[in-house]
Amino acid sequence: MVAGGHSCKSGHGFALASGGHDANFVFRKFVDCIKKDDVIYLDVEITNVGDFTGRDVIEVYAEAPQGLLGKSARVLCGFKKTKLLAIGESQTLTVEIPINSLASYDD
């Protein structure tokens, strides 16, 4: 698995994105990836590196293999919103992704 340029051992491909309006507001750092039972847990650390107090939303997208029917390049499979972060403050969020939500079907 790849998330934010880091590798994990679950075998799924993920991309991290921010739902925030100001790309300079946060620094996102991939922390860990754990598969337990039928859920993947992605830990992401968010730091407010901007000039204002604010919130951010971390969005996790999965890529499914392309079959004969074609699929979206990426599908939103999880998201989490931070608390109100002061300048310089960090928060680690855990995004839970049920394995069955990553199922891909083709004829």
Side-chain angles (χ1 to χ4, degrees), residues 16-76:
L16 297 177
S18 173
H21 300 290
D22 183 358
N24 296 322
F25 169 72
V26 294
F27 173 73
R28 289 168 290 283
K29 176 184 170 190
F30 175 73
V31 177
D32 200 5
C33 169
I34 298 170
K35 179 180 176 281
K36 185 175 180 183
D37 298 322
D38 291 334
V39 179
I40 295 172
Y41 299 91
L42 289 177
D43 293 336
V44 180
E45 181 181 70
I46 298 92
T47 303
N48 181 350
V49 296
D51 297 326
F52 303 98
T53 299
R55 292 184 172 92
D56 192 43
V57 176
I58 294 301
E59 300 168 348
V60 180
Y61 291 85
E63 297 179 2
Q66 291 295 321
L68 295 174
L69 299 177
K71 300 179 188 305
S72 299
R74 291 186 175 161
V75 177
L76 180 67

